[in-house]
Amino acid sequence: QVQLQGSGPGLVKPSETLSLTCTVSGGSIGSYYWGWIRQPPGKGLEWIGCINYSGNTHYNPSLKSRVTISVDTSKNEFSLNLSSVTAADTAVYYCARRSAFDLWGPGTMVTVSS
Amino acid sequence: DIQMTQSPSSLSASVGDRVTLTCQASQDSRKYINWYQQKPGKAPKLLIYDASNLEIGVPSRFSGSGSGTDFTLTITSLQPEDIATYYCQQYHNFPWTFGQGTKVEIK
């Protein structure tokens, strides 16, 4: 059974870079798009971007200048980097599979605070 | 960007009621709409993909319909475990976008 597990720091300082990794277990990262979605406390879902196994990426224009998503097929994982963070980037960050997000990681709460 | 507008923002209904949630896209999204259920503290769960296809394992009381700009999620007989927030999402065009959600409560 394929599972996703996100990992990374739960606290990031303002102006620094938020870095998260999503590990795919029980299956191959080959095929599909793999994406990141975030949810600020008490608010709705925001799509951040996605990548496929060959490295093709698409980003939300509202975050594009600060976002990088990469994939490491040898480790069966994909990663999110969000630079120059502010308090507005405080959210639960989810990794998910496909354009119909049929599989989600449990979410990583990231707080931006000094 | 395609804006997704859900209505109502919240609703209260009785167990056994038929509940209808709507989602309107600002542009033609063909059939490329998905619906998710999110319970507090949990990741969203896919219910319906491509507007009307029931995800494996999802109870048959959930159904989806629509195409183009107007979409509907129906719960034919509301159950206590259906208390959640429901989101629609389009993937016809990048950036993929979500609606703001409909919170469903029991009366």
Side-chain angles (χ1 to χ4, degrees):
Chain A
Q1 182 180 0
V2 181
Q3 293 184 318
L4 304 182
Q5 182 62 56
S7 59
L11 181 64
V12 181
K13 289 182 168 57
S15 80
E16 295 189 346
T17 295
L18 179 161
S19 296
L20 297 173
T21 296
C22 186
T23 301
V24 181
S25 61
S28 172
I29 203 168
S31 301
Y32 303 129
Y33 271 102
W34 302 88
W36 292 95
I37 300 104
R38 71 180 183 178
Q39 185 170 37
K43 296 188 178 181
L45 301 165
E46 180 181 29
W47 178 75
I48 298 171
C50 62
I51 191 167
N52 68 4
Y53 68 96
S54 60
N56 295 316
T57 55
H58 297 274
Y59 299 132
N60 191 325
S62 67
L63 299 169
K64 188 174 183 177
S65 63
R66 300 194 290 130
V67 172
T68 303
I69 297 175
S70 58
V71 65
D72 188 333
T73 54
S74 68
K75 294 182 178 179
N76 232 31
E77 62 185 32
F78 60 104
S79 299
L80 168 70
N81 279 353
L82 181 65
S83 64
S84 304
V85 297
T86 70
D89 296 310
T90 293
V92 176
Y93 285 76
Y94 294 103
C95 53
R97 182 179 73 175
R98 295 183 59 200
S99 51
F101 301 120
D102 63 341
L103 185 64
W104 295 68
T108 301
M109 180 66 209
V110 179
T111 300
V112 178
S113 175
S114 56
Chain B
D1 299 5
I2 297 178
Q3 306 301 318
M4 307 299 291
T5 302
Q6 292 186 240
S7 61
S9 55
S10 65
L11 68 87
S12 181
S14 300
V15 172
D17 281 355
R18 180 184 183 95
V19 171
T20 300
L21 286 61
T22 65
C23 177
Q24 185 169 56
S26 61
Q27 303 172 33
D28 183 0
S29 296
R30 304 280 296 277
K31 65 172 184 177
Y32 302 115
I33 296 293
N34 306 313
W35 288 93
Y36 302 89
Q37 175 193 66
Q38 187 180 32
K39 297 183 178 180
K42 300 293 187 181
K45 172 187 174 183
L46 178 66
L47 299 176
I48 301 287
Y49 64 95
D50 292 349
S52 61
N53 295 292
L54 192 68
E55 175 71 348
I56 294 173
V58 174
S60 59
R61 63 180 179 274
F62 292 94
S63 64
S65 63
S67 65
T69 61
D70 295 302
F71 302 87
T72 299
L73 175 70
T74 300
I75 309 173
T76 52
S77 177
L78 186 68
Q79 299 301 304
E81 60 266 32
D82 300 335
I83 301 313
T85 299
Y86 293 82
Y87 294 93
C88 60
Q89 173 238 341
Q90 69 80 23
Y91 68 102
H92 179 51
N93 286 344
F94 288 110
W96 297 341
T97 47
F98 290 92
Q100 81 280 15
T102 293
K103 188 174 183 179
V104 175
E105 298 174 322
I106 293 287
K107 190 181 295 184

